[in-house]
Amino acid sequence: MSNQEHTASIKAYVTGFILSIVLTVIPLVLVLNHMMGKAALTVSILLAAVLQFVVQLFFFMHIRDGEGPRYNVMALILGIIFVVTIVAGAIWIMSFNSQVQ
Amino acid sequence: MSQTISAHVSDQNHGHVDQEGLKTLGFWIFLVTDCLLFATFFAAYAVLRTHTEGGFSAKDFNVPNFIIETFILLTSSFTSGLAVLSMHKGNKKGLIRWLIITLLLGAAFVGLEVKEFADLAAEGATISRSAFLTSFFALVGTHGAHVTFGIFWMIGILFQLSKRGITPVTTRKVSLVSLYWHFLDAVWIFILTVVYLMGVM
């Protein structure tokens, strides 16, 4: 029984590792071969990064583990909201920089 | 009466089990706040990345160097997972072996990053050269400092493991250092994408 569990986890780690490599190689190939336009390329590589972050959360960091209320997931979601607000807000505000100078 | 005592005892046991869970939750909350630290550096970088003052720009990054760094860190994230798997099997030797491999890969990563920084400084691209370089060194350097801290943390845990073996306490510590390591790999993915790939594209 416990043996089965472990092979399952090894499977999870190997799957996560392979997915991470694929999601790293795709943006590398796209960027180094200058495929796609600039906007499409930016969106694609950011998407690959977000997907890889999700892969790491599920396959490596075992976000689904544990019983009861998932306070770690709640904290993470709140954190992501803060991160997006800080980064997007900073870029947005500073885009007015040239107008006020 | 005996019922209240046993209830009390089981409560205590429950409380003890929760302590370890609470520490893990506390660590997750630390990771989230660490995300906020990185978010501020990412925001500064995103705003300042074009302010190169005619000096070194993001187009000039050494491509093979950051590709190798990426795969080293990704592999070390995987091996730290294998360390946790060995630990759950009660395989102390395997655990120590994978931890040492993880640590060495981490050291190779930091070495490459130090070399990259030294090469940049030799080219005159120092932290005070432009706003772009200030935000670059601040962001990537903070990540590198985290990896360096993780290496020393792992060394400490290795000593404790060789002394005490796999106990509930060392189990929690190995799980947390592994979580920390995966988190650093996740942050690096965004550095790779935002700093290096969007730089050279």
Side-chain angles (χ1 to χ4, degrees), chain B residues 14-137:
Chain B
H14 197 71
H16 185 71
V17 171
D18 266 355
Q19 276 284 300
E20 297 293 296
L22 210 56
K23 283 173 181 168
T24 306
L25 174 63
F27 194 76
W28 270 98
I29 291 171
F30 156 71
L31 288 183
V32 170
T33 56
D34 216 24
C35 272
L36 298 184
L37 172 72
F38 280 109
T40 58
F41 282 119
F42 270 108
Y45 181 84
V47 167
L48 298 171
R49 66 198 201 98
T50 52
H51 297 230
T52 56
E53 314 299 329
F56 185 89
S57 84
K59 281 195 176 70
D60 312 320
F61 282 126
N62 180 343
V63 175
N65 200 68
F66 72 70
I67 293 178
I68 296 169
E69 278 179 301
T70 301
F71 282 103
I72 288 178
L73 205 61
L74 184 57
T75 310
S76 80
S77 189
F78 178 59
T79 57
S80 84
L82 295 182
V84 172
L85 277 185
S86 300
M87 177 179 75
H88 287 317
K89 280 183 190 159
N91 178 356
K92 184 179 154 188
K93 264 189 185 162
L95 165 60
I96 288 177
R97 191 181 63 222
W98 286 119
L99 269 188
I100 289 175
I101 291 173
T102 306
L103 191 157
L104 291 177
L105 286 169
F109 171 87
V110 172
L112 278 176
E113 193 165 290
V114 167
K115 186 183 165 293
E116 183 191 14
F117 283 9
D119 288 348
L120 283 177
E123 280 178 49
T126 55
I127 191 165
S128 52
R129 174 65 181 82
S130 65
F132 157 66
L133 284 167
T134 307
S135 61
F136 165 77
F137 280 115

Side-chain angles (χ1 to χ4, degrees), chain A:
Chain A
M1 175 65 194
S2 78
N3 220 352
Q4 236 172 5
E5 253 175 41
H6 288 311
T7 48
S9 334
I10 280 183
K11 237 188 218 165
Y13 276 112
V14 173
T15 314
F17 188 46
I18 292 171
L19 282 176
S20 293
I21 288 178
V22 170
L23 286 170
T24 305
V25 169
I26 290 174
L28 277 175
V29 169
L30 288 180
V31 168
L32 296 179
N33 294 324
H34 305 288
M35 292 173 176
M36 303 202 253
K38 198 164 183 178
L41 189 55
T42 307
V43 172
S44 317
I45 63 176
L46 280 175
L47 195 70
V50 170
L51 275 178
Q52 194 175 339
F53 180 56
V54 173
V55 165
Q56 299 246 344
L57 276 178
F58 280 91
F59 291 93
F60 286 176
M61 296 169 89
H62 312 294
I63 188 122
R64 282 173 299 187
D65 275 16
E67 296 122 32
R70 310 233 164 102
Y71 294 115
N72 57 347
V73 180
M74 295 181 206
L76 189 71
I77 291 171
L78 184 62
I80 290 171
I81 293 171
F82 285 161
V83 166
V84 171
T85 309
I86 291 170
V87 176
I91 293 172
W92 181 61
I93 289 170
M94 293 310 285
S95 69
F96 298 102
N97 196 25
S98 55
Q99 292 172 34
V100 291
Q101 263 177 348

